[in-house]
Amino acid sequence: MLPVALTDAASALIDACREAGLTIATAESCTGGLVAGCLTEVPGSSDVLERGFVTYSNDAKTEQLGVPAPMISRHGAVSEEVAKAMAIGALARSRALLTISITGVAGPGGGTASKPVGLVHFASAMTGGVTMTERHEFEGNRSDIRREAVRTALRMLADRIPREVYRTQD
């Protein structure tokens, strides 16, 4: 069961995207499909959620989203560059107009001095718009980190929707 706040955020996002005529695709690594899962908790989400890519491995990022393997080798899977390539790849390989990508270290292992547990990179691409990125260092256990990543992804998607669409929902 998802926290009510996440379900409420997903519902508001679905309503706003429907009103704006936007469709979404997700490209998830460390969250393993939790963003898509959160969106599909909302009845009628099929109007908005076009598809979700779960690209946990580096090969999946390359094969499904077109992230260049040399980029992953050079910057690492957990990087702004890869997050951006994932979001752009999801846009190119779907019919969605808006995408979100997430790649990070959810722990408890896998962290390094330069990429600690809790480091998560996000990117959002939009047809006809710029690709936006964010970097966060979340604290807590694996579940906490993944939940905060979902919360951030939903907020980033909502930030891409014109404010007047949200105002008409009130």
Side-chain angles (χ1 to χ4, degrees):
M1 185 105 175
L2 291 169
V4 172
L6 286 181
T7 304
D8 288 349
S11 183
L13 176 64
I14 293 292
D15 288 345
C17 283
R18 189 180 293 116
E19 178 76 18
L22 293 173
T23 51
I24 295 172
T26 63
E28 301 180 66
S29 186
C30 66
T31 50
L34 289 175
V35 175
C38 186
L39 292 170
T40 60
E41 283 286 317
V42 179
S45 59
S46 60
D47 294 344
V48 172
L49 182 62
E50 201 275 328
R51 72 184 71 193
F53 298 92
V54 177
T55 55
Y56 207 71
S57 71
N58 292 345
D59 286 342
K61 289 172 183 63
T62 299
E63 293 166 10
Q64 292 183 37
L65 299 172
V67 178
M71 176 187 288
I72 296 171
S73 295
R74 186 174 328 113
H75 300 286
V78 179
S79 64
E80 178 181 0
E81 293 83 0
V82 169
K84 191 172 183 179
M86 288 171 65
I88 292 168
L91 195 62
R93 287 164 173 75
S94 72
R95 291 185 179 96
L97 301 173
L98 176 62
T99 66
I100 189 73
S101 70
I102 305 168
T103 183
V105 184
T112 66
S114 62
K115 295 184 182 185
V117 169
L119 174 64
V120 183
H121 286 275
F122 301 83
S124 176
M126 188 173 196
T127 299
V130 298
T131 300
M132 304 176 75
T133 62
E134 289 188 16
R135 176 188 189 278
H136 292 270
E137 287 189 33
F138 300 117
E139 294 188 8
N141 62 33
R142 183 177 181 84
S143 293
D144 295 336
I145 291 165
R146 288 165 33 110
R147 184 175 46 255
E148 288 308 310
V150 171
R151 185 181 326 279
T152 300
L154 294 175
R155 192 245 330 131
M156 282 183 72
L157 287 167
D159 286 351
R160 303 300 305 259
I161 300 168
R163 290 290 104 198
E164 57 272 11
V165 172
Y166 272 106
R167 278 190 231 125
T168 63
Q169 302 284 320
D170 296 334

